[in-house]
Amino acid sequence: CQAQSSTRSYGPVFEEQPSHTLFPEGSAEEKVTLTCRARANPPATYRWKMNGTDIEVEPDSRYRLVAGDLVISNPMKAKDAGSYQCLASNSRGTVVSREASLRFGFLQEFSAEERDPVRITEGWGVMFACSPPPHYPGLSYRWLLNEFPNFIPADGRRFVSQTTGNLYIAKTEASDLGNYSCFATSHIDFITKSVFSKFSRLSLAAEDARQFAPSIKARFPADTYALAGQAVTLECFAFGNPVPQIKWRKLDGSQSSKWIGSEPLLQIQDVGFEDEGTYECEAENIKGRDTHQGRIIIQAQPEWLKVISDTEADIGSDLRWSCAAAGKPRPTVRWLRDGQPLSSPGPLLLPRCKRISSPFSKLVLEDSGMYQCVAENKHGTVYASAELTVQALAPDFRLSPVKRLIPAARSGKVIIPCQPRAAPKATVLWTKGTELLVNSSRVTITADGTLILQNISKSDEGKYTCFAENFMGKANSTGILSVRDATKITLAPSSADINVGENLTLQCHASHDPTMDLTFTWALDDFPIDFDKSEGHYRRASVKEAIGDLSISNAQLRHSGRYTCTAQTVVDSASESATLTVRGPPGPPGGVVVRDISDTSVQLSWSRGFDNHSPIARYLIEARTLLSSKWKQMRTNPVNIEGNAETAQVVNLIPWMDYEFRVLASNILGVGEPSLPSSKIRTKEAAPTVAPSGLGGGGGAPNELIINWTPTLRDYQNGDGFGYLVSFRRKGSQGWLTARVPHAESLHYVYRNESIAPYTPFEVKIKAYNRKGEGPESLTAIVYSAEEEPKVAPYRVVAKSVLSSEMDVSWEPVEQGDVTGVLLGYEIRYWKDGDKEEAADRVRTAGLVTSAHVTGLNPNTNYHVSVRAYNRAGTGPPSASTNVTTTRPPPKRPPGNISWTFSGSTVTIKWDPVVARADESAVTGYKMLYRQDSHSAPTLYLASKSRIDIPVPEDFTHAFVQIRVTGPGGDGTPAE
């Protein structure tokens, strides 16, 4: 039987099917291969169709079959572009593969016509049309400026549409002058081809560039269709001065976490039906805003919800097959048998293909074959295949005989199946010995032929035979019934009540027939306990044969329920149950609903969750806003929410803020899990309640008053249409001037007036406003108008060389009264003799110090030095310059021939003297660093000659010394 099963015949089942193929025109590859392979016994044969017509594979044609693959030599677009299907057949039937298209990719050259030059006023926006040449499939686009490979970056001011290839410049600048060319690239498999257009010249008319509001030029379609699972990209770009900022929002739902990028592109990865809706692009600058809206409509390829499977059916029986598919638009369903269409769509009621008007007709052998259910819409087609085998068999017990030895428990029940293989279904009779069995109070023969004996006694032992018969033949099978002692629970588990985290043992002991093996199993609420997957909570408490105690460690709420211990042998079982109650913190409340929404409060209601066997004492309410994902406990009315409450008011909310709320219950055992978040709500708007902070200012150009503040956070804006009212007046004057500054992001205001004298004190205050009203004013601050550069120069500048690369500079300061503003410090400029002052190096001091130390100079070099005072407006006039010459550098040659001479507790160290060259500074002495070992601190010794005597300890063994010359030019190179 096993040999027959392993070599049974079956119809074709596809392992590989053809895929859509794109062949580049002009490719060096000389053939296209469409794959097709099916598993079948006997092996399948193959044929192909193109556009529904059979392909003739002749020896000298361009088509040939390799196994099941179709190979097309020298493919030509005119003859070979189309839709292909593979058909696999054997003696069991035929199946048809999915359709696969063969298309030809190409990219032609741009038109050779010259492109018109473009002239526009500087500061205005401009668009260059790409007008790509004929191509397939889509292209990627870049633009060249003047020459290859000077590609224009997408920097917010410039944008290249990947839909049209057009180049957009939001606001032209002088740097945009030049010649522009569209660069289009096609990617087909590993072949890349690029072409570029003729250049178009951009020239600018120089005028004072005025600011203007945004105007959206690159717009995404009013309706964008996308397939579920794919990526969607929307483009939006606007002209404007200043360059507009682009923002995206979904008008009928929340923003998806799958959004990628921002500004001109909105990309949604793995788009789903939840992403369907209306999207808005907003372009905004300080002069205004422009918007554009469009819909994303999600559709889907067919996808199986229910498929057919291989079926063996008895001759003369009825069969109803059905398949179901989802998709948008809704797919239509049709049926194939052995590759040929059946007449009616919908469920398949066999034998429809043969007797449509006789739905109750019985199956016949000729109904066997390969069936396919095909679901299709405009986006694709899916196939489901199955084989129907109609069988006619005489009864046969070889695969499922009656069990030879049938043990049964005394007073118990035994079930003896009779399941011969037969088609059609066999009629069954049972005998005990020579006695024919019939249904009685203790004997039941079911419709499928199963024998059931109840309340078994020793007298039931004996031979039981099942006889099966149909019109194809008859057969029988016999088993022997043996009666054993029954299994009984002798110590049953007891119900218990514990707290979360505690431990417990449930007892279970049993007696059984000693000739049988006994096993214990445990179930919780009728679900078997898997000890290997219990995370250590469950273990067997005993290894003795008749004891099956269950140990529960660190009990959790989920461990509550009815525990059933089952003692089982191969012939019977006995069970006893007990209830375990685990008390713990409450479960999550449900149904959180928000109503009565005002600007600072809402009314919340909820339904009680499980108290987990301990009364709920109180509730807590938490919330989070769009500004933070962290949940925070909220103030409520009443302050303490009793455990029997199901509603409360949440107070002290922020106006015009998006909130989500959740509720937590607590009892004496702790705080439970939170409810699911409520739906998002937005509190109503209100006038601002907080004045902007950080009021200050100063600086700027002449005749300007600059007022700065810290932009108000979203938490404190309280409503839409947010902005600032800035009031100011000269200190000591009466009337206030007020300026309205829109946009919450604004952080300064500039007031220009020719009458404003430098460094004039102004009183300044600010308040916020929105469309609900104005907020409180800030405290008054003093802000000074723009300062004026110092008009007086420092004097008595003295520069003195310190080392070969350093100098000290000092000067007499300017009087504070001579500076219109705040003196920030002084700027020292120094330059080499022969250089221009414009090339001077600079060092700045801070505050009122009147000296500076300058480093990094060249040795033996004459420098000019001048000093200027500076403030926020700039630097003042220079002092009279003074000259300084840096000293010559110290000798480069280190001391040589270092020697040591010990005399008692003194060591004499000598070395060869160093003689300075003509271009080096004189040697005035020597410095020696002395260290007893690598861990001790060094000691500095000075010597005027080339020797030195130093004391040493009695345990002296060695030391480290470093000797260098010193002089006006600094220290020389050390010798060790």
Side-chain angles (χ1 to χ4, degrees):
C1 292
Q2 292 180 347
Q4 291 176 359
S5 176
S6 62
T7 59
R8 70 177 183 86
S9 63
Y10 55 89
V13 179
F14 282 114
E15 293 183 327
E16 290 186 54
Q17 297 190 56
S19 301
H20 297 306
T21 301
L22 184 62
F23 184 79
E25 288 187 4
S27 170
E29 188 70 30
E30 296 181 349
K31 63 183 180 180
V32 169
T33 300
L34 299 175
T35 59
C36 182
R37 188 156 298 125
R39 180 179 72 253
N41 187 21
T45 59
Y46 301 91
R47 56 193 175 91
W48 285 80
K49 289 186 176 183
M50 174 187 171
N51 297 333
T53 303
D54 287 334
I55 296 176
E56 298 296 333
V57 180
E58 302 293 342
D60 56 349
S61 72
R62 292 184 302 109
Y63 302 105
R64 58 190 177 93
L65 283 178
V66 178
D69 298 348
L70 176 66
V71 180
I72 306 174
S73 301
N74 302 316
M76 294 177 287
K77 178 179 179 180
K79 293 184 177 181
D80 300 320
S83 177
Y84 290 79
Q85 274 186 296
C86 170
L87 290 83
S89 304
N90 70 1
S91 59
R92 305 283 293 189
T94 299
V95 287
V96 181
S97 76
R98 66 189 176 207
E99 294 185 11
S101 64
L102 173 59
R103 296 188 177 183
F104 289 75
F106 66 95
L107 172 59
Q108 297 181 9
E109 298 290 334
F110 274 96
S111 170
E113 293 183 6
E114 296 294 333
R115 298 205 169 194
D116 294 334
V118 177
R119 181 173 178 81
I120 197 168
T121 301
E122 183 176 344
W124 287 90
V126 68
M127 185 272 285
F128 288 93
C130 178
S131 301
H135 60 274
Y136 183 83
L139 305 174
S140 61
Y141 300 95
R142 291 184 288 176
W143 279 78
L144 296 168
L145 178 58
N146 294 328
E147 61 183 359
F148 182 87
N150 185 22
F151 290 108
I152 296 172
D155 53 9
R157 188 174 66 87
R158 294 171 289 190
F159 170 67
V160 178
S161 169
Q162 295 304 309
T163 302
T164 62
N166 297 342
L167 167 65
Y168 297 85
I169 303 177
K171 169 197 157 197
T172 53
E173 298 176 353
S175 60
D176 295 324
L177 287 170
N179 298 307
Y180 290 79
S181 172
C182 180
F183 189 87
T185 302
S186 172
H187 303 275
I188 303 175
D189 291 336
F190 299 104
I191 299 176
T192 299
K193 179 181 179 181
S194 297
V195 294
F196 55 88
S197 69
K198 290 284 188 179
F199 282 94
S200 178
R201 180 162 186 77
L202 174 65
S203 57
L204 301 176
E207 292 184 12
D208 289 338
R210 67 174 182 84
Q211 296 181 336
F212 62 95
S215 176
I216 296 177
K217 300 298 183 182
R219 298 168 176 258
F220 54 96
D223 290 328
T224 298
Y225 289 87
L227 286 180
Q230 295 185 348
V232 175
T233 300
L234 304 183
E235 297 182 341
C236 181
F237 192 75
F239 294 170
N241 184 8
V243 174
Q245 182 181 3
I246 305 294
K247 296 179 182 178
W248 293 89
R249 65 176 60 90
K250 188 169 186 252
L251 298 183
D252 46 8
S254 59
Q255 174 175 326
S256 170
S257 61
K258 296 180 288 188
W259 288 19
I260 296 179
S262 59
E263 295 294 326
L265 296 179
L266 171 62
Q267 295 177 299
I268 306 176
Q269 300 293 318
D270 188 22
V271 69
F273 287 101
E274 69 278 5
D275 298 307
E276 189 169 81
T278 301
Y279 290 76
E280 181 181 79
C281 156
E282 178 187 74
E284 184 178 24
N285 64 13
I286 60 174
K287 300 300 291 182
R289 60 194 286 268
D290 190 14
T291 61
H292 173 67
Q293 296 177 2
R295 293 190 307 157
I296 293 181
I297 301 170
I298 307 301
Q299 299 198 330
Q301 297 174 336
E303 181 180 6
W304 287 121
L305 300 176
K306 180 180 180 182
V307 296
I308 54 177
S309 58
D310 290 344
T311 300
E312 292 182 348
D314 293 348
I315 188 170
S317 64
D318 295 328
L319 174 67
R320 183 180 181 88
W321 256 346
S322 64
C323 56
K328 189 178 178 183
R330 178 180 295 178
T332 59
V333 176
R334 56 188 174 90
W335 289 85
L336 302 177
R337 177 187 175 187
D338 291 332
Q340 298 299 316
L342 293 176
S343 57
S344 301
L348 180 60
L349 185 61
L350 288 177
R352 170 185 291 126
C353 57
K354 191 167 61 174
R355 301 186 183 93
I356 296 173
S357 61
S358 181
F360 300 101
S361 297
K362 307 300 184 180
L363 286 173
V364 295
L365 294 175
E366 289 78 8
D367 290 324
S368 298
M370 299 300 299
Y371 291 82
Q372 290 178 284
C373 184
V374 185
E376 54 194 342
N377 65 11
K378 65 181 181 179
H379 300 298
T381 305
V382 289
Y383 290 76
S385 302
E387 182 176 2
L388 172 63
T389 303
V390 179
Q391 303 179 106
L393 303 170
D396 187 348
F397 281 98
R398 285 179 294 178
L399 294 180
S400 54
V402 174
K403 192 173 180 182
R404 189 174 299 277
L405 178 62
I406 308 166
R410 192 187 306 271
S411 301
K413 178 174 75 172
V414 67
I415 299 174
I416 310 174
C418 178
Q419 298 173 331
R421 187 181 182 191
K425 181 180 176 181
T427 56
V428 172
L429 296 174
W430 278 94
T431 63
K432 179 189 176 187
T434 59
E435 177 189 0
L436 179 65
L437 298 178
V438 294
N439 287 330
S440 67
S441 60
R442 294 181 54 245
V443 178
T444 302
I445 301 174
T446 65
D448 66 354
T450 300
L451 173 64
I452 302 175
L453 303 177
Q454 302 191 64
N455 193 19
I456 292 176
S457 64
K458 196 71 174 175
S459 63
D460 290 317
E461 288 187 331
K463 291 184 178 181
Y464 289 80
T465 303
C466 174
F467 292 89
E469 182 177 3
N470 66 10
F471 75 87
M472 295 290 293
K474 61 176 98 175
N476 63 77
S477 180
T478 300
I480 300 174
L481 178 67
S482 174
V483 179
R484 311 291 175 90
D485 290 339
T487 303
K488 297 179 180 178
I489 299 291
T490 58
L491 178 59
S494 300
S495 296
D497 189 335
I498 62 175
N499 291 335
V500 167
E502 294 181 347
N503 303 330
L504 176 71
T505 297
L506 296 176
Q507 294 180 309
C508 186
H509 299 182
S511 64
H512 66 292
D513 189 304
T515 64
M516 314 285 284
D517 290 332
L518 178 69
T519 58
F520 288 91
T521 60
W522 284 87
L524 172 57
D525 294 332
D526 298 326
F527 288 95
I529 293 174
D530 188 334
F531 290 86
D532 294 333
K533 297 180 180 179
S534 70
E535 300 176 346
H537 291 291
Y538 295 121
R539 64 182 179 84
R540 301 184 187 277
S542 175
V543 295
K544 295 182 179 179
E545 182 182 6
I547 299 176
D549 296 352
L550 172 67
S551 178
I552 305 175
S553 302
N554 186 22
Q556 301 298 307
L557 291 173
R558 66 180 182 274
H559 298 141
S560 293
R562 185 170 62 89
Y563 284 81
T564 301
C565 170
T566 301
Q568 186 170 6
T569 66
V570 295
V571 299
D572 72 336
S573 64
S575 299
E576 291 290 345
S577 298
T579 299
L580 174 63
T581 301
V582 181
R583 302 186 187 276
V592 179
V593 176
V594 187
R595 53 186 175 82
D596 299 342
I597 302 169
S598 72
D599 55 350
T600 59
S601 69
V602 299
Q603 192 73 25
L604 226 61
S605 60
W606 58 90
S607 59
R608 290 171 57 86
F610 294 111
D611 62 9
N612 290 330
H613 315 294
S614 178
I616 296 173
R618 60 185 295 236
Y619 287 98
L620 303 174
I621 295 178
E622 294 181 336
R624 65 182 176 188
T625 69
L626 58 79
L627 304 176
S628 172
S629 60
K630 185 176 180 182
W631 291 94
K632 295 181 180 179
Q633 186 172 343
M634 305 303 291
R635 294 186 179 181
T636 60
N637 181 22
V639 176
N640 294 316
I641 308 172
E642 298 296 332
N644 59 356
E646 293 188 6
T647 183
Q649 186 182 41
V650 186
V651 297
N652 289 7
L653 300 178
I654 300 171
W656 197 57
M657 181 59 65
D658 293 334
Y659 281 99
E660 287 180 296
F661 299 93
R662 67 182 187 183
V663 182
L664 302 91
S666 65
N667 58 21
I668 60 173
L669 296 174
V671 179
E673 296 180 3
S675 68
L676 292 174
S678 69
S679 57
K680 286 184 180 178
I681 62 99
R682 175 172 289 185
T683 51
K684 293 184 177 179
E685 297 178 84
T689 55
V690 177
S693 61
L695 186 61
N703 309 121
E704 284 186 351
L705 171 66
I706 295 182
I707 303 171
N708 299 328
W709 59 89
T710 302
T712 299
L713 298 177
R714 172 68 176 79
D715 309 46
Y716 304 106
Q717 293 174 18
N718 288 7
D720 202 3
F722 188 86
Y724 305 91
L725 292 172
V726 183
S727 301
F728 53 93
R729 68 183 179 186
R730 283 186 177 86
K731 187 175 182 181
S733 63
Q734 295 299 315
W736 291 87
L737 297 175
T738 300
R740 180 180 290 263
V741 182
H743 307 301
E745 298 84 3
S746 301
L747 46 74
H748 70 272
Y749 171 72
V750 181
Y751 174 62
R752 297 180 180 87
N753 194 304
E754 297 295 333
S755 67
I756 299 178
Y759 206 58
T760 299
F762 280 79
E763 292 178 298
V764 177
K765 56 187 179 180
I766 188 172
K767 61 183 175 181
Y769 71 88
N770 60 25
R771 65 185 181 184
K772 282 292 183 179
E774 299 176 2
E777 285 189 329
S778 68
L779 296 174
T780 301
I782 301 298
V783 177
Y784 288 83
S785 63
E787 302 176 29
E788 191 175 40
E789 298 95 336
K791 300 299 184 185
V792 179
Y795 58 99
R796 293 181 186 167
V797 176
V798 177
K800 181 180 178 181
S801 175
V802 180
L803 297 173
S804 61
S805 61
E806 301 176 9
M807 68 176 173
D808 286 332
V809 182
S810 61
W811 58 89
E812 293 294 330
V814 301
E815 295 295 333
Q816 183 66 44
D818 295 330
V819 179
T820 308
V822 178
L823 178 66
L824 297 180
Y826 295 90
E827 181 177 276
I828 299 93
R829 299 189 183 185
Y830 54 97
W831 63 97
K832 296 176 185 177
D833 188 28
D835 289 350
K836 294 182 179 180
E837 183 178 356
E838 290 77 10
D841 291 315
R842 306 177 186 197
V843 172
R844 280 194 168 188
T845 67
L848 303 179
V849 297
T850 57
S851 64
H853 184 72
V854 181
T855 60
L857 305 177
N858 292 336
N860 196 26
T861 302
N862 186 25
Y863 283 90
H864 300 282
V865 181
S866 69
V867 182
R868 305 167 184 244
Y870 73 91
N871 62 12
R872 284 196 289 184
T875 55
S879 67
S881 65
T882 185
N883 296 337
V884 64
T885 300
T886 54
T887 62
R888 288 172 290 179
K892 295 181 180 179
R893 183 167 60 88
N897 295 326
I898 301 173
S899 63
W900 305 61
T901 303
F902 290 93
S903 176
S905 61
T906 302
V907 61
T908 299
I909 303 174
K910 297 181 181 179
W911 58 87
D912 292 342
V914 176
V915 179
R917 298 190 179 92
D919 60 347
E920 297 176 331
S921 62
V923 177
T924 59
Y926 298 88
K927 290 182 180 179
M928 183 179 77
L929 282 176
Y930 172 87
R931 189 167 57 191
Q932 180 86 17
D933 55 50
S934 59
H935 302 292
S936 60
T939 304
L940 175 65
Y941 292 93
L942 300 177
S944 59
K945 297 182 180 180
S946 60
R947 62 170 287 165
I948 192 169
D949 298 325
I950 59 175
V952 294
E954 293 182 1
D955 58 349
F956 176 84
T957 57
H958 65 280
F960 302 92
V961 296
Q962 189 182 80
I963 304 170
R964 68 177 77 202
V965 300
T966 185
D971 297 340
T973 306
E976 296 185 356

